[in-house]
Amino acid sequence: MRSDECSNIAQDLSRFYTLVQSAESVESLRGLEGQATKIYFQGLRLGFARELEFKKRTRRPPTDPVNACLSFGYTILMNVVLGAVCAVGLDPALGGLHELSYGRVSLALDLMEEFRTPIVDMTVLACFNLGILKKEDFWRDEPEVTEDDCENGKWVDQVDMLVQEENIQEQVSKLKEGEADGPGEDGTGVVGVFLKKEPKKRFLNRLEKRLSMLLHYPRLDKKLTLRQVIERQAEHYASYVLGECSQY
């Protein structure tokens, strides 16, 4: 039954390859991305045990173990990409697909998109399916908030132990929903789910192994680690901006 559901989701996603070619504006592209991302996570959830309660992408706070790992992993990935962008002398605020706003690292958010699935999503899948992480490696916390706290958004800082790691860029970028973590829901009085200290180290170790994995990089026709691919892609984008190549 799940294989049939996966096939249907894959077919739904495949139609977006055509739709994006005919998109008439960046705004329409963002709309298509939102639709495709929702369908994608419907498929991704099929890779996890039902007991993990991963039904859709949620954040601030993540409401299940899978979302807790996705949020943490995406933040680490964003900072790796941000470092590559800065290393080649690009302004990380001048992106093309993410909306430009004061302090937002839009370019880093743009360039990390192609690495979300092969690096973070696959790492999270491996951690749970290989037993590296289990449901008991997470703790749940129901926030105690007042009406004033809900209105001011202060409750997030009070209950989210990942807030400094997941939102390193928060104070400078003020990310809008869906930009760093994919579609999610902000809410008040939500039970958050978070990684414990030692399991977090295991997750980081697995993520670093993923970043160090070798694969063939067609542009240079050689094997590189995924971390090196991120660096080369940042260089490639810089060449495109300078007019040294015709497309990215």
Side-chain angles (χ1 to χ4, degrees):
M1 181 64 70
R2 282 201 166 195
S3 61
D4 292 338
E5 192 172 353
C6 285
S7 297
N8 292 334
I9 289 172
Q11 290 179 2
D12 286 343
L13 283 174
S14 65
R15 65 189 177 88
F16 285 93
Y17 286 110
T18 301
L19 292 174
V20 296
Q21 301 299 323
S22 58
E24 298 179 351
S25 65
V26 173
E27 287 73 20
S28 62
L29 274 176
R30 292 171 183 154
L32 291 171
E33 180 194 20
Q35 296 173 47
T37 302
K38 183 177 181 180
I39 296 172
Y40 168 76
F41 279 112
Q42 290 174 355
L44 184 63
R45 67 180 173 82
L46 300 177
F48 297 93
R50 289 186 174 88
E51 67 177 28
L52 295 172
E53 302 174 356
F54 176 50
K55 299 177 181 178
K56 61 180 179 179
R57 183 74 180 102
T58 59
R59 63 192 185 97
R60 299 184 188 176
T63 56
D64 57 77
V66 175
N67 272 301
C69 290
L70 288 174
S71 292
F72 189 26
Y74 290 153
T75 299
I76 295 169
L77 174 61
M78 190 281 297
N79 282 277
V80 172
V81 176
L82 177 59
V85 167
C86 293
V88 296
L90 293 172
D91 187 336
L94 298 180
L97 295 176
H98 285 82
E99 184 178 354
L100 302 182
S101 181
Y102 178 77
R104 181 178 296 129
V105 288
S106 297
L107 180 55
L109 294 171
D110 283 352
L111 298 186
M112 74 174 277
E113 292 295 344
E114 62 182 307
F115 298 105
R116 285 180 184 269
T117 296
I119 294 178
V120 178
D121 298 1
M122 294 301 100
T123 296
V124 176
L125 271 170
C127 281
F128 286 105
N129 291 331
L130 295 177
I132 297 170
L133 292 177
K134 299 179 180 179
K135 195 172 182 179
E136 55 265 32
D137 291 326
F138 299 79
W139 63 278
R140 302 170 69 89
D141 184 41
E142 186 167 1
E144 296 181 3
V145 297
T146 66
E147 291 183 3
D148 289 340
D149 288 336
C150 291
E151 291 176 358
N152 297 329
K154 294 180 180 178
W155 68 276
V156 176
D157 295 324
Q158 296 172 356
V159 303
D160 192 349
M161 70 177 295
L162 294 182
V163 70
Q164 292 184 348
E165 294 166 290
E166 180 182 357
N167 301 312
I168 292 174
Q169 76 279 27
E170 178 69 13
Q171 293 182 356
V172 294
S173 64
K174 298 179 181 178
L175 296 179
K176 292 185 176 179
E177 183 167 328
E179 292 185 342
D181 295 338
E185 293 182 351
D186 294 346
T188 57
V190 177
V191 176
V193 176
F194 313 104
L195 263 169
K196 297 176 182 177
K197 185 176 181 180
E198 289 304 315
K200 188 187 296 185
K201 292 179 181 179
R202 296 201 298 270
F203 175 77
L204 289 171
N205 180 62
R206 188 74 190 193
L207 185 61
E208 182 57 40
K209 287 184 178 180
R210 187 72 181 179
L211 285 165
S212 301
M213 187 182 74
L214 285 170
L215 75 165
H216 181 253
Y217 184 56
R219 288 192 60 252
L220 299 180
D221 193 22
K222 60 187 295 187
K223 286 189 175 182
L224 299 176
T225 66
L226 274 167
R227 187 185 292 275
Q228 290 172 326
V229 170
I230 291 174
E231 295 166 353
R232 299 294 84 78
Q233 285 296 89
E235 292 176 354
H236 178 35
Y237 186 82
S239 296
Y240 170 71
V241 171
L242 293 172
E244 297 172 355
C245 59
S246 60
Q247 62 181 4
Y248 175 79

